[in-house]
Amino acid sequence: MLKLMCRTPFRVLLSIVFLHICSLSYGAAKYQSTESELASTQVSLAGDWQFQIDPYKRADTEKWWKLKTDTSNWDRIAVPGVWDTYDRYSTYMGDAWYRTEFKSDSDWRSQQVRLVFDSVYHDSQVWLNGQYLGENKLGFMAFDFDVSKVLKKRGLNTLVVKVNNRFRRGAVWNWGGIRRPVYLDIRPKTHIEKVYVTAEPNLENGSANIKMQAFLSNLAKKDITVSADFSLLREGELVAQYPSEQTHQLKAGESLTLVQSQVLAAKDVALWHFNDPNLYHIKTTLRVNGKPVHTHQDRFGIRKVEVRGREFYLNGEQVRLVGLNMVPEDRFDGNSLPLSRIKEDVDLLKSLNANFARLSGPALPKEYLDYLDEAGFLVVEEVALWGKDALVDPDHPLPKQWLERLVSDNYNHPSVVARSVGNEIGDLNKNPKVMEYVKGAIEHAKALDPTRLAVYISYSADYQENDPSRFSDIIMFNKYGDHEERLKVVDSYHPNKPIFFSEIGTALDGVDPNESVLDVEKLMGPLRKYPYLMGTSHFAFSDYRSTWYDEKPSWTTDFSQNRAWGVLTSYRNPKRSFNKLQNFYSPLETFDLNTKGDKPEIKLSSRSLDSFPAYTMKGYRLLWQVLDSAGETKAVGQFALPTLKPGDSAPVYTVPYEGEYASLKATLLAPDGYVAQVVSHDAKTPPVPEISATHISLDTIRVHFKRSPLATEYQLIAVDEQGKVFEGKPTINDFAEVTGLQPQQEYSLRLIALNQAGKSKAGDSPKVSTAPNELPPIIWATEGKRDAFHIGFSVGRNDFAFELRYGLEPGVYSHSHIVQTKGATRAPAISPGKTHYFQFRRLITGTIDSDWSQEYKVVLQGLEGLEPPHDAQAIQTESGMIIQLTPVRGSVAYRIVAHAADGIKLSMDTHQSYSEFITINDRAWLNAKNLRIATLNDKGEVGGFAPVNFK
């Protein structure tokens, strides 16, 4: 079934110097478009496509692209998506074929119709109605074909795509398939191809130079007279209109670029910053003989990025920045990156106070960059050459094409501040042409887009004085040991350039969140004192799928195929290192909570430029929260912090609360509501935890329990019949273990919860005996889709398979099957949209099968959409309110509705999806009543509403 989409393409801008031709500005007025019907339309081809793997390349002789190909035995899988998330194809590498059908529309005959693939990994060939259209060998990049003359006038069109995922780079999994959306883009034959906006602020007088370039094409058979109008909008308000200055002749079959340069008045300029990401819309209208025929919309931001000597400046301010690297994927959706995954990851990234990084080697999709624009993040995008690579050749055409596509696709994104021409390719013995390649590629990058920095990511800058880094605007340097010593060597080789640790790490950090041993302060603390070091980017944000086995045990991937570099697991469970890194990356030098006086006091100061991160803190808030013995909010309030420049101290804040409490939390909130840092004081011990399930083996006892908001850790203690005490490791998980026990012996168990105030009281002490059983796998995560559910689980050395049983009622399992995947599995739904219940167990070489896990409940996405947050509460501020909630997995936004004090209905959609706090800075929401909240999913469907309570 076809789905009609009218998509607004969002591209955003950069800043550099422009010519002042004229200055126009208009007062803000609510903008009403009367030409929306002139915009391009898009027809989605998403759905279940026919699918067939071809390991023996039968298709080449049987010609599977032919219309009469017998596909009666082909499988069906989802597009967009990757085949590796289906158990039966989880390790398949090679050729695979996709096939679907769609109808043409008679209205398309007079227009241009493009077939657009946002990304197919890695190599692809495309046929439409049996006619070969072409190929693409840049697996992370979008590509398209003009199919206007290939479409059938009536009846069904048959689209066939051959995909090969053989190409694998480094330790990253080569997910295969049509990973991103496929659609038809319909527009007039005379149309706007794209619009570039170059916007540079004048930091002295507050105005901004705006250069607009409209790229036009005339596919019609007649010569025409064209002109272009430009309109700038911000937050739905018209900021400026620039009508056509003159007309131009555009011949049939040719292209033309129209350029206008203007000066935007200071009163209309709002700069883009990672903590204040102001965005503008630009609407361009193409006129033929004075009549509007096509409109194009995009986004941009106004900001200025500079390197001055050895310092990095954003909008005229020196800043020292921090970030993380990521492999953009997860175990349930692979690297298809639905919008919910993009938003959750960026929201978590912002909560780690990250603001600058070469975020990903592979090109990020447009929707990812869109959200980086909205949330505020400075990103370096890359032509992802790596290691010993045949493409490291100045004469090879593919890297040039790659770079040119990056520039063309992403010119207007303010989040993109630099482009890298390669990663760790600088070893002169492995890549003898690397010096010529990097020099030429950086020159080419600057010629294509002089508004952005051009860099190279080096691993060899500390052992090659003559390194390709010499051509880079910033010395971007990866290293995994001896960081301070190697930094000094790089400094000696490049004494006139700023340095940034584009990857910094030591060793893998455990797939179990509790086993994370990363010492952030030891890793990066000693580096803060070097003024020429811009900052650091920790590798990595999250674990990722891999089969990389290394000579060093500390670098070898776990049996679950989860490569554990992250501060989050592959399933996005925070490890112990998450809070450590959040605190280290906080912009605060001091954040003290003093509870010794009559009322608690909070003292804080920002980091100076002698440290990192360092930047002006504007728009931050301090939220305090009192919790009772049940972990419920007893009292809450907030303070708006003054603007703090690097090294400033804030006033001392007194918490206006007297009385008993179990815990007092002070939370630093970034301007949009992201949690930047938390300090707390626990006055009472946590409640006694209750054991919900127990599992045993010969020497280990494991218990499961429900966590309390008042506990920071849990510990299981076993006491034998002689009174000998065995203490398990304190844990942050929802299960605890005690090991080293004697076989077939009885133990009394005590599960205790811990916090700053001490240990919880002892609860019941059940008696459990060890036995020659095998422990079930640990279930790390579950996620319900509409037609399936996913399970993330642990894998032991001798686990050769697993068994899953599940059903629609508790304890009633109507379905079961063997699972041979590692670390993640996808189970088809018995009934789409219904709640499922399951158990899981290990099949182990050389011993009995493990016990079944406890029963898990998975709520699938129903036709009514996602559940709303049921615990949302509102906190009034002087300029609106703050909403606190538990994020809903799979959300892309929340819709909040209310009645204003004057009775007017209010409604807004948040841009965050995975932030615990959301800031509403709109005075219309002051004293609003009857607040309700709903969740939006990947399809934009709004679920049911739940009330929001005021605190």
Side-chain angles (χ1 to χ4, degrees):
M1 180 176 292
L2 300 185
K3 182 169 145 189
L4 191 63
M5 302 186 301
C6 289
R7 177 186 293 180
T8 302
F10 294 145
R11 307 262 159 104
V12 210
L13 124 322
L14 192 99
S15 28
I16 223 36
V17 185
F18 318 89
L19 298 174
H20 310 321
I21 294 182
C22 63
S23 177
L24 284 174
S25 179
Y26 294 83
K30 202 68 176 180
Y31 184 74
Q32 299 291 333
S33 173
T34 59
E35 301 167 351
S36 58
E37 70 279 2
L38 299 178
S40 300
T41 58
Q42 292 180 358
V43 176
S44 172
L45 299 183
D48 288 340
W49 289 31
Q50 290 183 295
F51 177 79
Q52 181 65 48
I53 61 173
D54 184 26
Y56 305 111
K57 297 187 179 296
R58 292 165 41 214
D60 293 339
T61 55
E62 297 177 8
K63 300 179 179 180
W64 288 2
W65 59 86
K66 293 284 189 179
L67 298 181
K68 294 183 179 180
T69 300
D70 181 7
T71 60
S72 58
N73 65 342
W74 284 31
D75 200 354
R76 284 191 172 272
I77 66 173
V79 171
V82 289
W83 64 66
D84 320 55
T85 58
Y86 294 80
D87 287 21
R88 55 196 180 276
Y89 307 120
S90 66
T91 59
Y92 178 71
M93 181 166 59
D95 289 348
W97 290 72
Y98 288 80
R99 191 181 186 101
T100 192
E101 294 179 331
F102 62 91
K103 289 183 179 180
S104 299
D105 190 309
S106 59
D107 291 341
W108 301 348
R109 296 178 188 175
S110 61
Q111 304 195 75
Q112 184 200 34
V113 181
R114 292 186 306 137
L115 173 63
V116 183
F117 294 85
D118 276 356
S119 175
V120 179
Y121 193 87
H122 181 270
D123 296 344
S124 58
Q125 293 175 278
V126 183
W127 291 260
L128 182 61
N129 297 327
Q131 181 172 326
Y132 182 64
L133 299 182
E135 66 177 359
N136 180 67
K137 292 189 176 182
L138 293 176
F140 290 100
M141 302 299 295
F143 60 99
D144 63 83
F145 303 100
D146 186 340
V147 296
S148 308
K149 298 179 181 179
V150 187
L151 289 172
K152 292 183 178 180
K153 294 182 179 180
R154 56 179 61 89
L156 291 174
N157 295 276
T158 302
L159 175 60
V160 177
V161 184
K162 175 186 175 182
V163 184
N164 184 287
N165 69 329
R166 177 198 171 280
F167 183 80
R168 180 183 290 192
R169 192 175 291 282
V172 178
W173 190 262
N174 50 325
W175 303 96
I178 304 176
R179 57 181 286 263
R180 298 289 301 159
V182 186
Y183 51 91
L184 301 172
D185 182 87
I186 300 101
R187 59 190 181 184
K189 290 185 177 180
T190 302
H191 57 261
I192 305 165
E193 290 279 353
K194 60 187 176 184
V195 175
Y196 284 178
V197 183
T198 313
E200 183 185 24
N202 184 320
L203 300 176
E204 293 184 0
N205 64 22
S207 66
N209 302 320
I210 311 293
K211 179 182 177 182
M212 299 157 287
Q213 298 170 267
F215 296 81
L216 313 180
S217 289
N218 179 19
L219 303 182
K221 297 179 179 180
K222 295 181 179 180
D223 298 349
I224 53 175
T225 301
V226 297
S227 60
D229 304 337
F230 300 95
S231 299
L232 305 187
L233 301 91
R234 179 170 173 264
E235 297 179 347
E237 304 287 339
L238 181 64
V239 174
Q241 276 185 310
Y242 306 121
S244 305
E245 295 180 325
Q246 54 185 326
T247 60
H248 303 265
Q249 293 299 306
L250 180 54
K251 293 184 178 181
E254 295 190 358
S255 299
L256 176 70
T257 302
L258 300 185
V259 181
Q260 273 206 55
S261 294
Q262 306 285 355
V263 177
L264 192 63
K267 67 183 182 63
D268 295 320
V269 173
L271 298 182
W272 187 96
H273 186 280
F274 55 79
N275 272 338
D276 191 16
N278 294 293
L279 291 171
Y280 291 78
H281 281 76
I282 179 168
K283 178 183 176 183
T284 306
T285 302
L286 171 62
R287 297 180 182 274
V288 174
N289 299 323
K291 180 182 177 181
V293 298
H294 188 220
T295 60
H296 179 282
Q297 292 196 52
D298 209 340
R299 295 193 308 191
F300 69 97
I302 303 172
R303 59 111 178 90
K304 188 171 187 176
V305 171
E306 302 169 278
V307 171
R308 302 179 191 172
R310 309 197 76 181
E311 297 169 349
F312 183 84
Y313 285 78
L314 174 62
N315 297 335
E317 178 196 8
Q318 184 191 352
V319 292
R320 298 182 71 183
L321 306 176
V322 290
L324 293 100
N325 308 93
M326 66 166 60
V327 177
E329 60 159 63
D330 66 41
R331 292 303 304 272
F332 297 161
D333 290 299
N335 65 1
S336 62
L337 300 176
L339 186 58
S340 55
R341 165 55 52 224
I342 292 171
K343 288 203 161 189
E344 180 179 348
D345 283 359
V346 173
D347 286 349
L348 288 167
L349 195 69
K350 290 287 290 185
S351 288
L352 285 163
N353 297 298
N355 44 37
F356 175 75
R358 167 188 156 265
L359 201 56
S360 163
L364 293 168
K366 176 185 166 307
E367 287 80 3
Y368 212 119
L369 293 175
D370 285 343
Y371 195 52
L372 292 176
D373 294 340
E374 293 176 15
F377 192 90
L378 307 179
V379 66
V380 179
E381 60 179 4
E382 183 170 271
V383 176
L385 310 187
W386 181 77
K388 186 178 181 180
D389 198 321
L391 298 181
V392 182
D393 183 339
D395 297 319
H396 201 295
L398 206 57
K400 295 178 182 178
Q401 182 185 359
W402 199 334
L403 178 60
E404 288 163 3
R405 285 206 211 171
L406 285 175
V407 173
S408 177
D409 291 350
N410 303 329
Y411 189 90
N412 290 338
H413 287 284
S415 56
V416 178
V417 297
R419 294 194 176 89
S420 163
V421 299
N423 174 44
E424 300 182 359
I425 57 175
D427 190 305
L428 299 175
N429 294 317
K430 295 179 179 178
N431 294 313
K433 296 182 179 181
V434 65
M435 296 297 284
E436 296 91 334
Y437 165 74
V438 171
K439 181 177 184 294
I442 284 183
E443 289 173 352
H444 190 43
K446 291 184 175 182
L448 291 169
D449 184 0
T451 68
R452 285 166 169 90
L453 303 174
V455 299
Y456 157 67
I457 312 298
S458 178
Y459 190 77
S460 52
D462 64 327
Y463 66 80
Q464 289 184 160
E465 185 170 1
N466 185 28
D467 189 74
S469 297
R470 61 188 289 189
F471 305 114
S472 183
D473 288 333
I474 300 169
I475 306 301
M476 307 283 281
F477 179 48
N478 300 346
K479 200 51 95 178
Y480 289 83
D482 301 323
H483 301 96
E484 188 172 11
E485 175 188 344
R486 307 320 297 168
L487 174 64
K488 292 178 182 178
V489 174
V490 176
D491 169 53
S492 70
Y493 291 162
H494 304 280
N496 300 316
K497 291 186 177 183
I499 302 173
F500 184 80
F501 269 110
S502 42
E503 290 181 23
I504 189 169
T506 51
L508 300 181
D509 199 35
V511 293
D512 182 340
N514 196 57
E515 298 302 314
S516 171
V517 296
L518 176 64
D519 188 335
V520 178
E521 186 63 44
K522 181 180 179 180
L523 174 65
M524 291 182 275
L527 306 175
R528 281 177 157 151
K529 62 180 176 284
Y530 295 97
Y532 51 79
L533 181 66
M534 272 179 55
T536 57
S537 182
H538 179 258
F539 192 92
F541 170 76
S542 64
D543 301 346
Y544 53 94
R545 189 180 183 187
S546 177
T547 52
W548 182 280
Y549 298 105
D550 202 272
E551 296 174 354
K552 296 184 288 186
S554 63
W555 277 45
T556 292
T557 305
D558 183 73
F559 298 111
S560 64
Q561 297 182 351
N562 290 315
R563 191 156 175 77
W565 283 108
V567 296
L568 294 144
T569 70
S570 294
Y571 322 107
R572 303 310 189 262
N573 300 328
K575 302 182 184 181
R576 284 186 178 272
S577 52
F578 183 93
N579 287 335
K580 293 178 184 178
L581 189 65
Q582 183 185 61
N583 293 338
F584 186 88
Y585 276 1
S586 168
L588 293 182
E589 181 70 32
T590 59
F591 190 7
D592 298 327
L593 176 59
N594 183 357
T595 60
K596 295 180 180 179
D598 294 335
K599 293 182 180 180
E601 290 185 339
I602 303 171
K603 297 180 181 179
L604 48 84
S605 63
S606 65
R607 297 192 196 276
S608 72
L609 285 168
D610 293 329
S611 183
F612 64 78
Y615 45 82
T616 296
M617 295 175 58
K618 183 178 180 181
Y620 281 74
R621 292 181 182 273
L622 183 61
L623 183 99
W624 59 268
Q625 204 163 6
V626 172
L627 304 181
D628 62 18
S629 296
E632 299 292 331
T633 300
K634 190 174 182 180
V636 66
Q638 57 84 39
F639 304 102
L641 298 185
T643 297
L644 300 177
K645 293 183 177 181
D648 283 355
S649 295
V652 176
Y653 293 99
T654 300
V655 177
Y657 178 83
E658 293 180 280
E660 291 189 350
Y661 58 84
S663 183
L664 172 64
K665 290 173 60 178
T667 303
L668 177 69
L669 296 181
D672 274 351
Y674 294 110
V675 173
Q677 191 176 355
V678 179
V679 296
S680 62
H681 173 256
D682 297 321
K684 296 182 180 180
T685 58
V688 178
E690 295 183 5
I691 296 174
S692 59
T694 303
H695 300 288
I696 57 172
S697 69
L698 275 175
D699 61 356
T700 301
I701 298 175
R702 178 192 298 162
V703 299
H704 291 259
F705 50 86
K706 184 178 180 180
R707 285 181 283 205
S708 164
L710 297 179
T712 54
E713 292 181 313
Y714 298 84
Q715 186 177 29
L716 181 63
I717 299 172
V719 182
D720 67 14
E721 294 174 332
Q722 289 73 44
K724 184 176 180 180
V725 177
F726 297 81
E727 294 187 352
K729 287 182 179 180
T731 182
I732 61 172
N733 293 321
D734 61 359
F735 66 92
E737 293 180 341
V738 59
T739 60
L741 304 178
Q742 294 300 310
Q744 302 189 56
Q745 185 165 327
E746 186 176 76
Y747 293 87
S748 296
L749 301 183
R750 295 205 310 268
L751 177 64
I752 59 174
L754 302 91
N755 64 15
Q756 296 170 3
K759 300 178 180 179
S760 65
K761 295 179 181 179
D764 295 336
S765 299
K767 293 188 176 183
V768 177
S769 295
T770 54
N773 297 26
E774 296 289 345
L775 293 171
I778 297 166
I779 304 301
W780 293 119
T782 63
E783 184 174 327
K785 302 292 178 62
R786 187 158 289 176
D787 61 348
F789 63 93
H790 296 266
I791 306 168
F793 54 90
S794 64
V795 181
R797 177 186 296 272
N798 296 320
D799 296 344
F800 68 86
F802 301 84
E803 188 173 4
L804 171 67
R805 63 185 186 186
Y806 61 104
L808 298 177
E809 298 178 27
V812 181
Y813 307 118
S814 58
H815 288 58
S816 67
H817 62 261
I818 300 299
V819 173
Q820 293 183 287
T821 56
K822 304 293 186 180
T825 184
R826 177 187 185 274
I830 300 170
S831 180
K834 300 294 185 181
T835 297
H836 287 56
Y837 301 84
F838 76 87
Q839 289 183 306
F840 206 62
R841 69 175 176 183
R842 304 158 59 205
L843 309 185
I844 311 166
T845 301
T847 186
I848 62 173
D849 299 341
S850 80
D851 291 345
W852 287 100
S853 69
Q854 64 177 322
E855 184 176 81
Y856 287 84
K857 174 182 176 181
V858 186
V859 179
L860 272 61
Q861 293 189 27
L863 296 176
E864 66 280 4
L866 293 170
E867 287 285 310
H870 290 286
D871 61 351
Q873 59 184 16
I875 304 149
Q876 201 78 52
T877 70
E878 76 289 345
S879 59
M881 65 179 63
I882 298 169
I883 304 292
Q884 183 180 11
L885 53 83
T886 300
V888 176
R889 178 61 59 84
S891 65
V892 300
Y894 302 98
R895 180 161 296 170
I896 304 171
V897 297
H899 287 91
D902 58 7
I904 295 175
K905 291 183 180 181
L906 300 173
S907 179
M908 67 163 290
D909 289 347
T910 69
H911 74 77
Q912 297 112 312
S913 73
Y914 219 75
S915 174
E916 183 184 352
F917 296 91
I918 296 168
T919 301
I920 301 176
N921 289 315
D922 186 342
R923 299 186 68 84
W925 289 76
L926 284 172
N927 302 313
K929 299 178 181 179
N930 303 322
L931 266 73
R932 294 181 299 144
I933 188 168
T935 307
L936 280 71
N937 64 15
D938 280 302
K939 296 182 178 180
E941 298 165 338
V942 182
F945 281 85
V948 179
N949 299 313
F950 272 99
K951 289 291 184 178

